Amino acid sequence: MDSDDDFNSSQASGDDFLDDQDSDLGLEDDSDFDMDQDDVGFESQDKDMGPRKQAYEVDFKVFDPQQIQGSQDRQIDEVSSILGQPPEATAILLRHLRWNKERLIDRYMDNQEEILESAGLGETAANNPPKISKVAGFVCDICCEDDPSLDTFAMKCGHRFCVECYRQYLYTKIKEEGEAARIRCPGDGCNRIVDSKSLDLLVAEELRDRYHELLTRTYVDDKDNLRWCPAPNCVYAVECGVKNKDLMQIVPTVHCECSHDFCFGCSLNDHQPAPCALVKMWLKKCEDDSETANWISANTKECPKCNSTIEKNGGCNHMTCRKCRHEFCWMCMGVWSEHGTSWYNCNRFEEKSGSEARDAQAKSRMSLERYLHYYNRYANHEQSAKLDKDIYLKTEKKMQQLQNTTGMSWIEVQYLDTASQALQQCRQTLKWTYAFAYYLARNNLTEIFEDNQKDLEMAVENLSEMFEKPVDQLQGLKVDMMDKTSYCTKRRVILLNDTAENLKLGNWEFNVKFS
Amino acid sequence: MSAGAKKRIMKEYGECMAETPAGMKINFDEQNMTKWEVLMDGPDGSVYAGGHFKLEIIFPNEYPFKPPVVSFRTKIYHPNVSNDDKGSMCLGLLRPDEWKPPNKVVAVLRLIQSLMVEPNIDDAIEPSIANEYKENRKEFEKNAKDWVKRYAK
């Protein structure tokens, strides 16, 4: 009952929140549409807010492959005109210096020859384009063919090979080794880089595409403010200004065009509110400990004398520690000698030595249990997040059924979709609040955090429960469900804003040091 | 394996026969030309002098676009040869990113010979042996000679 009151009282402010947004949106062109649908897409409105940034949000921009190629080309053109080098050579120079324009221009002005040499462009690329030719008396140093009709190719460095071998060489480098920006001339000891014009001349279209794809990859890889979306088969890259050194003050979650939420700092799935270093430590701990710790907790006790962990492997309660030979009772943990012959019922529970032993054990257990407390909740939300896909699919089916049985329109059942997505997002956040809480020192701030966590969790469980209801009841729950959805989303925003603000100010006290 | 690669291996074998580097013998089987067996004498003046080492050279299918794979079939105490039953080497020319298609097996054999005279400490596969070579040359020489006596006679 308590929780219901809580929910209702906060509901009023939840409406405020909605109204707030509407008035915001009212200033935009599509206000009519939004007013009509004002009870439907809370989620989408949230995203459309744009200029009103929450404390936990960061600025970012998503690029598609054409845009990446475009910005690459623009920079090449720009630098090319400054240096007076052809675009192919400029591209090589830029890649050589990992797209650091300023450094390239500096070093070029400083010592032109040196930088050209180190980038594999020795003896300034002249203006005549690369071409395939036949050369009398030529023997290919790779395949040893000497047919005079052989097509051959060489770059400015003059290392000439037959076109077939050149092609095979490039094929091996690109297809098998995934090289692109730094393929060197096949000539023995030659460091000249194969430029893209020469490459285009030599290889088939399919390989050319792969080559340019790899070139684009290195562009994104080389730039600190760009990162590939890690979702499988996603082609987008995200630009974000958050630097590595800021990652203890900010958790830069970005949202890709493909709808995947990930952390710009470490590429893992969205882990707000926990900062990257904490996540890393937590994941490592889970990997090392969880299974083992669970088992230890369930099946073992520590020897009261030397604290060795002991598994009971027989029925008898008379234990002898293998390590220190201490004899004790498995039931009460007391010294065995005090048991006399009455051990079978273990009526010695109140004995002093036994209770001391239990105290010591309780302490070592406590740290384990503390960890398991957080881990179990973390794992539970993770598990639920995994089930999200099922929930989502079921939701789609329910939406179909609702449309069929009640005659509701497509737009009228969208609230289920919105609810399901909000649920997924909140669970993802909740999961990481437990890792975050595990490392928090106990203070007032932590208590506020735990209250926020509790509120969000309660809201999520309330909403989650509604999803289990049979289809015929769902229609009647529409308003309630929409309320609960917006409440969940609101609680999440509150929690994330609170953690993000305090993180930025360095207010959190942790019980460990993060590297 | 492509006809071009076979032709190339044949030609390289011909060149090796025409002027075999001193202290080497190459066993070549025309039925299986992608696997060469080389008998190499420990170079005079080196700690391996007096030993006879059996090496195996495997040509990958992508040869000469990928480097040949070299392994010592006779145990040798050397910073650049793995101290296990594989006896593998992976440095200089033999690394895929260093190898260039015009490079020849003969160059690889010469590289191995020169490494037996002077190991490459910066690119060692056995750090403990490399360390010993650096810090305690006497001990290294004793061990190397010991192994020659034990395995390479």
Side-chain angles (χ1 to χ4, degrees), chain A residues 142 176 184-185 187-188 190, chain B residues 8 65-66 97 100 102-103:
Chain A
I142 297 176
E176 287 173 29
R184 294 178 300 162
C185 159
D188 187 13
C190 181
Chain B
R8 157 95 186 233
F65 299 98
K66 291 261 174 84
D97 51 340
K100 293 284 192 85
N103 294 147

Side-chain angles (χ1 to χ4, degrees), chain A residues 253-273:
Chain A
T253 297
V254 295
H255 180 81
C256 180
E257 212 59 47
C258 73
S259 89
H260 181 60
D261 288 325
F262 68 97
C263 169
F264 189 82
C266 63
S267 282
L268 290 174
N269 287 356
D270 171 27
H271 55 67
Q272 275 175 340

Side-chain angles (χ1 to χ4, degrees), chain A residues 370-399:
Chain A
R370 178 169 182 275
Y371 164 67
L372 285 176
H373 167 91
Y374 289 106
Y375 177 76
N376 286 334
R377 280 152 186 81
Y378 165 89
N380 177 43
H381 283 298
E382 183 171 67
Q383 183 59 26
S384 307
K386 273 182 192 149
L387 294 173
D388 278 348
K389 213 172 183 179
D390 296 348
I391 292 182
Y392 185 71
L393 291 178
K394 272 190 216 150
T395 308
E396 280 193 323
K397 245 190 229 153
K398 281 184 183 173
M399 285 158 67

Side-chain angles (χ1 to χ4, degrees), chain A residues 214-441:
Chain A
L214 286 168
L215 275 190
T216 317
R217 288 226 146 237
T218 60
Y219 175 70
V220 174
D221 292 341
D222 282 350
K223 286 235 162 202
D224 287 339
N225 60 344
L226 282 176
R227 208 180 249 278
W228 291 107
C229 168
N233 295 322
C234 178
V235 294
Y236 296 107
V238 176
E239 184 189 70
C240 175
V242 174
K243 303 270 187 302
N244 265 339
K245 62 174 170 45
D246 302 329
L247 289 176
M248 236 10 244
Q249 280 84 47
I250 198 160
V251 187
T253 297
V254 295
H255 180 81
C256 180
E257 212 59 47
C258 73
S259 89
H260 181 60
D261 288 325
F262 68 97
C263 169
F264 189 82
C266 63
S267 282
L268 290 174
N269 287 356
D270 171 27
H271 55 67
Q272 275 175 340
C276 296
L278 189 153
V279 168
K280 207 172 138 202
M281 199 181 251
W282 173 258
L283 288 177
K284 181 156 192 326
K285 182 162 181 63
C286 294
E287 207 172 277
D288 294 349
D289 291 353
S290 295
E291 288 309 308
T292 333
N294 270 321
W295 187 89
I296 289 174
S297 165
N299 296 293
T300 70
K301 294 183 181 181
E302 282 97 36
C303 164
K305 199 170 169 203
C306 72
N307 276 326
S308 303
T309 305
I310 295 169
E311 176 193 11
K312 191 165 176 294
N313 61 358
C316 173
N317 282 332
H318 180 177
M319 308 300 290
T320 308
C321 174
R322 277 268 184 93
K323 257 201 181 139
C324 66
R325 317 299 308 169
H326 179 66
E327 294 181 41
F328 63 97
C329 166
W330 181 258
M331 286 312 295
C332 69
M333 304 303 285
V335 184
W336 186 254
S337 56
E338 289 176 14
H339 272 70
T341 52
S342 59
W343 61 274
Y344 193 79
N345 293 319
C346 194
N347 55 353
R348 311 279 302 184
F349 192 81
E350 299 307 321
E351 208 56 55
K352 190 169 170 278
S353 70
S355 81
E356 269 168 9
R358 283 195 299 277
D359 276 355
Q361 177 154 13
K363 253 182 214 155
S364 86
R365 268 304 136 99
M366 225 172 62
S367 77
L368 186 62
E369 306 236 301
R370 178 169 182 275
Y371 164 67
L372 285 176
H373 167 91
Y374 289 106
Y375 177 76
N376 286 334
R377 280 152 186 81
Y378 165 89
N380 177 43
H381 283 298
E382 183 171 67
Q383 183 59 26
S384 307
K386 273 182 192 149
L387 294 173
D388 278 348
K389 213 172 183 179
D390 296 348
I391 292 182
Y392 185 71
L393 291 178
K394 272 190 216 150
T395 308
E396 280 193 323
K397 245 190 229 153
K398 281 184 183 173
M399 285 158 67
Q400 272 296 332
Q401 277 176 310
L402 261 183
Q403 287 179 63
N404 294 340
T405 55
T406 66
M408 282 168 103
S409 69
W410 179 83
I411 202 87
E412 280 172 315
V413 296
Q414 285 309 299
Y415 73 95
L416 276 176
D417 187 56
T418 313
S420 143
Q421 281 180 24
L423 205 54
Q424 289 175 37
Q425 206 175 25
C426 290
R427 283 216 189 270
Q428 178 75 7
T429 304
L430 271 175
K431 171 178 129 176
W432 284 108
T433 59
Y434 281 104
F436 190 68
Y438 176 74
Y439 292 112
L440 279 183

Side-chain angles (χ1 to χ4, degrees), chain B:
Chain B
M1 179 173 266
S2 72
K6 282 186 185 151
K7 187 172 169 184
R8 157 95 186 233
I9 294 175
M10 281 306 286
K11 184 151 189 259
E12 283 200 58
Y13 178 66
E15 281 170 5
C16 281
M17 286 298 96
E19 47 172 327
T20 315
M24 269 184 224
K25 190 171 167 295
I26 298 167
N27 290 327
F28 178 78
D29 174 7
E30 247 184 84
Q31 297 308 309
N32 185 9
M33 58 169 78
T34 60
K35 185 170 142 183
W36 292 18
E37 199 180 271
V38 178
L39 287 171
M40 196 180 278
D41 295 337
D44 290 339
S46 75
V47 284
Y48 307 105
H52 308 283
F53 299 89
K54 198 157 92 175
L55 285 98
E56 194 176 78
I57 299 181
I58 309 270
F59 295 88
N61 275 335
E62 298 86 354
Y63 189 77
F65 299 98
K66 291 261 174 84
V69 179
V70 176
S71 52
F72 269 83
R73 307 310 298 168
T74 305
K75 261 176 112 57
I76 180 169
Y77 193 80
H78 192 288
N80 301 114
V81 182
S82 72
N83 182 12
D84 54 17
D85 55 348
K86 294 194 184 66
S88 46
M89 297 180 81
C90 179
L91 75 160
L93 273 187
L94 294 169
R95 292 158 51 102
D97 51 340
E98 286 289 323
W99 173 262
K100 293 284 192 85
N103 294 147
K104 301 277 155 60
V105 177
V106 142
V108 171
L109 294 173
R110 292 224 165 86
L111 169 75
I112 295 168
Q113 256 181 341
S114 75
L115 283 171
M116 285 169 88
V117 177
E118 188 173 349
N120 180 345
I121 298 305
D122 298 327
D123 205 353
I125 197 167
E126 292 292 343
S128 59
I129 300 181
N131 210 34
E132 188 180 78
Y133 182 88
K134 251 192 304 198
E135 309 285 330
N136 190 350
R137 187 67 61 88
K138 274 226 169 70
E139 186 67 22
F140 166 79
E141 285 176 1
K142 186 179 153 284
N143 282 329
K145 281 181 182 156
D146 216 41
W147 280 38
V148 171
K149 248 183 247 155
R150 239 194 294 170
Y151 304 108
K153 286 289 179 187

